[in-house]
Amino acid sequence: MTARNSGQDIQDHPNSENDAEIDEKKLKYPKSVFFIISNEFCERFSFYGMRTVLTLYLVQSLKYDDSTTTVIYHAFTMLAYFFPLLGAMLADSWLGKFRTIFYLSIIYAAGQILLALAAAPPIGLSPREFSMLGLVLIAIGTGGIKPCVSAFGGDQFILPQQERYLSTFFSIFYFSINFGSLISSFLTPELRRGVKCFGENSCYSLAFMVPAVLMTISIVIFVLGRPLYRITKPKDNVIVQVSKCISHAIYNKVTSKKKRDHWLDYADDQYDKTMISDIRDTLQVLILFIPIPIFWALFDQQGSRWTLQAARMNGEIGSWLLQPDQMQVINPLLVLAFIPLFEACIYPLMAKIGIRSPLRKLTIGGLLAALAFVVSAIVEYQLEPTYAVLPTQGGAQVRFFNTLNCNGNVTLEDNNFDLPPMEMWVNKSISVNEIREMNFTADFTRCKIPKWNDILTGKINVSEAKATSWVFMQNDFVYYEDSVQKSSSGNPLIRVVLSKDNLDEEIAFEIYDDNGRVFNTTVKDPRITMTDLNETVPGMYDIHLNGKKMLSGVPLKLGGVYTFVGNTIPGYTNLSVIQITEPNTMHVLWMIPQYVLITMGEVMFSVTGLEFAFTQAPSSMKSILQATWQLTVAVGNLIVLIIAEAKIFDRQIFEFLLFAGLMAVDMILFAIMAQFYRYIVTPEEEVASDDIHMKEERGILNKSYQDDEKRTD
């Protein structure tokens, strides 16, 4: 926390004068804080820039499924909010704030660089293993410096003489956090999508390297300010002292036969009564923290489940494409708008109807978060019809493609159908137990092609829970295991299936947009003339075969899976595009209501909860409340991790409703607990001595107060 005793601060500073001299002269604004503010801007840019694209990186590049991705994302967030305990202990008891920030920032930057290198295939690092190591290092670094940076900035001021300056510092400090996070949350998805590298349509290595560079710059800026810093010596850490006191009380209670009014009183042989009383009051507040983690379990899913939900929606806004991970920018923008709105309008209106106490506001905030997840479940329900129809257990899918120059007639057991040129027939619900043999006949005799002068009869094997595509070609009848799943990024997927008269012929397939060629492939295989699924960006395209334009203005839409079917038969070169999976049709802006509700809940829950905890805790125990508050964030992410790993539901809608229900029940229990809580009125003299801290706390009414720092000082 910010130093309280100005005399102590002056003694710790080698160039400081005595109290009397300081009182007599006007103190200037400490220039050292601008190094700290610049450092914080770069660090927050680095953290949010990395975390914004993390979910899609885990799904697209590392090929984790949605549940595993959610587990990894929330495990990382959990560690990032657990390590502040370690950082606070190091800073207060051993290294001091400057060295703690410096050493852990190096670990932080190393993690960012390692993550960027792991995302670059030419480097040759094992991407999964080294990405996980990078995330652990980042969690240690960002978590460790969380409780130190803002407090170190506060140490640069001499109190109470510079109390006004200190208030200004915290306003600028937290503005820099918001500014850094807003820019990076918008920019890094653009770097991920807008730049192509290493033969891929995205460039995660660049999206991670830019935050790594910013983190390195933050260290340089921080070190450059070293000659100007006021550095206080580390003292006893209150968390350690409280832990020792509680442990001693429990030990004495177990071993002693004496009876005391309260179990903490057993520690009075080593600890003074004031400290014991303060711990007792603090524990009363901490009991109310028990339901808090559920809120963070919902809130932090903006970067995981909600981002994955956005990836299955249509982000086209005119000619601009809103990336699914860019939706996270909405939250800080709404926070900045809502805080003054709530202070000026909402809270006064609530007071008129009797809602004044912080615990009531906190309860309403939690219920708004529950409502946000009900809305997200409604969006998911509307979204489900646009999902790909996947082959399931006990079933299979079969597709037939005709690349020939005439109509054919095919019989597949009970199904008889005509198959025109460049068209597809599909059955998505064939009953299968492991493997099923199905009889078929194919009549393409009217094509007058040697291969098809006779009616083809035979059997095909259909495998359970798989999609199989069969292709009638100029010289063969081939099959491949198909994929109908949408891309994890939401970008369209394309496959090329071509028939050729000359088996040795190479066919060049190219896609052009207004800016030139964006995709090309050469079909060389003499038998299986097809490609794997390839990802491209949505847009309107012209399609070329061997340098000749075959199709104009073909729309490839978000979420769509397409197969280009064609041939190069002399005199009958043809090409068509067949939609295998319906593209995303529901617009991503339908998610705005759930973002509005979760942000309203955040403002009422987090801001009010922190102010309540701070005002109700004894002055000597306020850092305990801050550390515990951050621990509730870690526990909340642990809850998501457990539920995601359990994979209870097959449909995401039910998981959203589960979280909404947990939050609602949690707030009902919290409201009951609040009825038995007796507010502590802080003595007037304590209010005066802590005035600067109250101003600091109440001045942090912005994004970082709730989402980022969860009280980092």
Side-chain angles (χ1 to χ4, degrees):
M1 287 295 293
T2 307
R4 293 184 178 181
N5 189 311
S6 59
Q8 180 62 48
D9 288 342
I10 295 164
Q11 292 170 11
D12 290 335
H13 186 243
N15 298 321
S16 61
E17 302 174 349
N18 58 51
D19 291 355
E21 291 174 337
I22 290 175
D23 289 336
E24 290 175 1
K25 75 174 186 177
K26 185 177 180 180
L27 296 171
K28 295 183 179 181
Y29 201 95
K31 297 179 181 179
S32 58
V33 301
F34 295 105
F35 289 91
I36 297 172
I37 290 170
S38 300
N39 162 269
E40 185 67 9
F41 168 82
C42 294
E43 189 273 326
R44 289 292 87 186
F45 184 108
S46 176
F47 179 77
Y48 275 106
M50 178 278 302
R51 199 175 74 162
T52 298
V53 299
L54 177 60
T55 293
L56 294 185
Y57 170 68
L58 294 171
V59 173
Q60 294 175 19
S61 292
L62 301 189
K63 307 302 181 185
Y64 289 111
D65 60 34
D66 288 2
S67 294
T68 305
T69 293
T70 302
V71 167
I72 295 172
Y73 179 91
H74 289 281
F76 165 73
T77 306
M78 178 187 70
L79 291 176
Y81 285 98
F82 173 79
F83 281 114
L85 293 175
L86 174 64
M89 292 179 186
L90 287 175
D92 291 350
S93 305
W94 183 27
L95 296 176
K97 297 184 184 71
F98 175 83
R99 287 194 293 169
T100 298
I101 295 170
F102 177 63
Y103 295 152
L104 292 181
S105 291
I106 293 175
I107 295 175
Y108 190 166
Q112 291 277 32
I113 293 171
L114 185 60
L115 183 61
L117 294 178
I123 302 299
L125 298 178
S126 178
R128 284 192 171 186
E129 289 75 7
F130 281 93
S131 292
M132 295 305 107
L133 177 58
L135 289 175
V136 170
L137 295 177
I138 293 170
I140 293 173
T142 188
I145 68 176
K146 272 182 182 295
C148 304
V149 180
S150 58
F152 185 64
D155 286 346
Q156 307 310 304
F157 296 86
I158 298 174
L159 304 179
Q161 292 89 341
Q162 292 185 309
E163 179 179 327
R164 180 170 58 87
Y165 288 160
L166 179 62
S167 179
T168 304
F169 161 73
F170 276 104
S171 297
I172 299 173
F173 181 84
Y174 288 103
F175 175 81
S176 72
I177 291 174
N178 286 299
F179 194 48
S181 63
L182 279 172
I183 293 176
S184 63
S185 295
F186 180 83
L187 179 61
T188 51
E190 288 296 322
L191 295 175
R192 169 187 65 79
R193 171 185 174 270
V195 178
K196 298 180 181 179
C197 60
F198 311 122
E200 299 177 350
N201 288 318
S202 58
C203 194
Y204 282 100
S205 55
L206 178 62
F208 288 139
M209 185 55 71
V210 170
V213 170
L214 265 291
M215 188 61 219
T216 304
I217 292 174
S218 76
I219 298 174
V220 174
I221 293 173
F222 184 70
V223 173
L224 288 176
R226 175 66 177 84
L228 301 176
Y229 294 144
R230 300 178 68 248
I231 299 177
T232 59
K233 296 178 181 179
K235 304 171 184 178
D236 289 337
N237 184 276
V238 66
I239 298 175
V240 175
Q241 292 300 312
V242 169
S243 299
K244 289 180 178 179
C245 180
I246 292 175
S247 299
H248 186 69
I250 294 173
Y251 175 79
N252 283 352
K253 177 176 174 58
V254 173
T255 58
S256 175
K257 296 181 180 180
K258 296 181 180 179
K259 291 185 178 181
R260 301 294 184 92
D261 294 335
H262 193 277
W263 62 271
L264 276 171
D265 293 335
Y266 285 94
D268 60 5
D269 60 331
Q270 289 190 16
Y271 298 90
D272 61 70
K273 293 183 179 180
T274 300
M275 183 177 186
I276 293 173
S277 176
D278 287 350
I279 295 175
R280 185 187 301 118
D281 292 341
T282 301
L283 290 177
Q284 296 301 313
V285 179
L286 291 180
I287 290 174
L288 289 176
F289 275 18
I290 294 174
I292 299 298
I294 297 293
F295 176 83
W296 301 121
L298 275 65
F299 180 82
D300 279 335
Q301 288 188 63
Q302 292 178 79
S304 57
R305 290 298 196 194
W306 283 14
T307 296
L308 294 171
Q309 186 181 53
R312 297 188 285 267
M313 303 177 76
N314 179 13
E316 295 177 353
I317 303 176
S319 60
W320 181 64
L321 181 63
L322 178 65
Q323 299 299 308
D325 37 4
Q326 284 178 324
M327 286 296 291
Q328 298 175 58
V329 176
I330 294 176
N331 176 252
L333 287 174
L334 289 176
V335 167
L336 294 175
F338 281 170
I339 287 173
L341 176 65
F342 271 71
E343 291 294 329
C345 302
I346 305 299
Y347 287 151
L349 290 175
M350 291 174 62
K352 289 183 179 181
I353 60 174
I355 302 176
R356 298 183 179 87
S357 70
L359 294 182
R360 288 185 179 181
K361 294 177 183 177
L362 195 148
T363 303
I364 294 173
L367 293 175
L368 285 171
L371 184 58
F373 267 67
V374 172
V375 173
S376 68
I378 294 173
V379 170
E380 186 71 17
Y381 179 76
Q382 297 296 324
L383 197 57
E384 282 184 341
T386 69
Y387 287 174
V389 179
L390 303 179
T392 58
Q393 294 297 321
Q397 296 183 6
V398 172
R399 288 171 174 83
F400 285 98
F401 294 93
N402 179 10
T403 68
L404 304 179
N405 61 354
C406 69
N407 286 313
N409 180 266
V410 180
T411 299
L412 181 65
E413 295 196 346
D414 296 333
N415 297 284
N416 180 269
F417 51 90
D418 289 329
L419 192 57
M422 307 299 126
E423 294 292 341
M424 174 194 74
W425 175 87
V426 60
N427 188 330
K428 299 181 181 180
S429 57
I430 295 177
S431 298
V432 179
N433 184 11
E434 294 186 359
I435 296 179
R436 176 180 173 183
E437 252 189 7
M438 302 185 72
N439 297 313
F440 82 96
T441 61
D443 182 1
F444 287 91
T445 55
R446 70 188 69 180
C447 295
K448 301 187 185 307
I449 298 173
K451 166 69 179 177
W452 300 101
N453 284 338
D454 297 320
I455 296 175
L456 178 67
T457 61
K459 299 178 183 295
I460 64 172
N461 290 327
V462 180
S463 299
E464 183 179 13
K466 290 184 179 180
T468 308
S469 291
W470 299 78
V471 185
F472 296 100
M473 291 186 167
Q474 183 80 358
N475 293 289
D476 213 339
F477 176 54
V478 300
Y479 75 95
Y480 59 91
E481 186 177 322
D482 211 342
S483 174
V484 298
Q485 180 66 279
K486 297 185 179 188
S487 68
S488 55
S489 65
N491 285 332
L493 294 172
I494 61 173
R495 186 195 303 276
V496 183
V497 178
L498 299 175
S499 179
K500 51 190 179 181
D501 186 50
N502 182 358
L503 295 182
D504 296 326
E505 177 188 7
E506 293 185 359
I507 304 177
F509 176 90
E510 299 170 304
I511 293 179
Y512 290 83
D513 64 7
D514 293 338
N515 299 317
R517 190 175 68 184
V518 296
F519 175 83
N520 71 291
T521 186
T522 301
V523 180
K524 299 179 180 180
D525 193 296
R527 182 174 184 275
I528 305 176
T529 50
M530 64 195 65
T531 68
D532 294 329
L533 280 172
N534 292 274
E535 183 176 322
T536 187
V537 294
M540 302 290 288
Y541 296 98
D542 295 335
I543 315 300
H544 293 236
L545 274 183
N546 291 337
K548 180 182 177 182
K549 182 188 291 187
M550 301 297 297
L551 299 173
S552 298
V554 175
L556 300 180
K557 299 182 179 181
L558 284 167
V561 180
Y562 305 91
T563 296
F564 286 92
V565 179
N567 63 50
T568 57
I569 302 172
Y572 191 74
T573 299
N574 206 346
L575 185 71
S576 69
V577 57
I578 298 174
Q579 180 178 290
I580 304 299
T581 300
E582 180 184 358
N584 300 343
T585 55
M586 189 172 183
H587 204 279
V588 73
L589 294 184
W590 282 107
M591 294 183 70
I592 287 181
Q594 64 200 59
Y595 273 96
V596 170
L597 288 169
I598 198 73
T599 306
M600 292 174 64
E602 175 190 5
V603 171
M604 297 189 69
F605 191 95
S606 183
V607 175
T608 306
L610 282 166
E611 184 175 357
F612 163 78
F614 188 86
T615 56
Q616 295 299 291
S619 59
S620 63
M621 298 288 126
K622 296 190 188 297
S623 61
I624 292 285
L625 268 298
Q626 294 165 17
T628 308
W629 185 268
Q630 293 191 26
L631 196 59
T632 64
V633 181
V635 175
N637 281 272
L638 177 62
I639 293 171
V640 182
L641 188 155
I642 293 172
I643 292 177
E645 184 65 22
K647 299 179 181 178
I648 304 172
F649 305 111
D650 293 331
R651 296 169 62 188
Q652 184 60 48
I653 183 175
F654 294 135
E655 186 175 294
F656 284 152
L657 291 174
L658 171 65
F659 279 108
L662 287 175
M663 188 75 244
V665 172
D666 188 58
M667 284 299 95
I668 292 173
L669 295 175
F670 180 84
I672 295 173
M673 294 169 63
Q675 293 297 317
F676 297 95
Y677 182 80
R678 294 183 179 181
Y679 286 88
I680 298 173
V681 180
T682 307
E684 195 69 30
E685 59 273 15
E686 186 173 335
V687 172
S689 66
D690 283 351
D691 184 58
I692 183 60
H693 297 283
M694 291 300 296
K695 289 188 176 183
E696 172 187 330
E697 292 289 328
R698 292 174 179 173
I700 305 172
L701 296 180
N702 53 38
K703 167 68 177 168
S704 57
Y705 198 162
Q706 304 91 33
D707 177 29
D708 168 37
E709 297 302 301
K710 313 289 192 310
R711 294 307 300 137
T712 59
D713 57 330

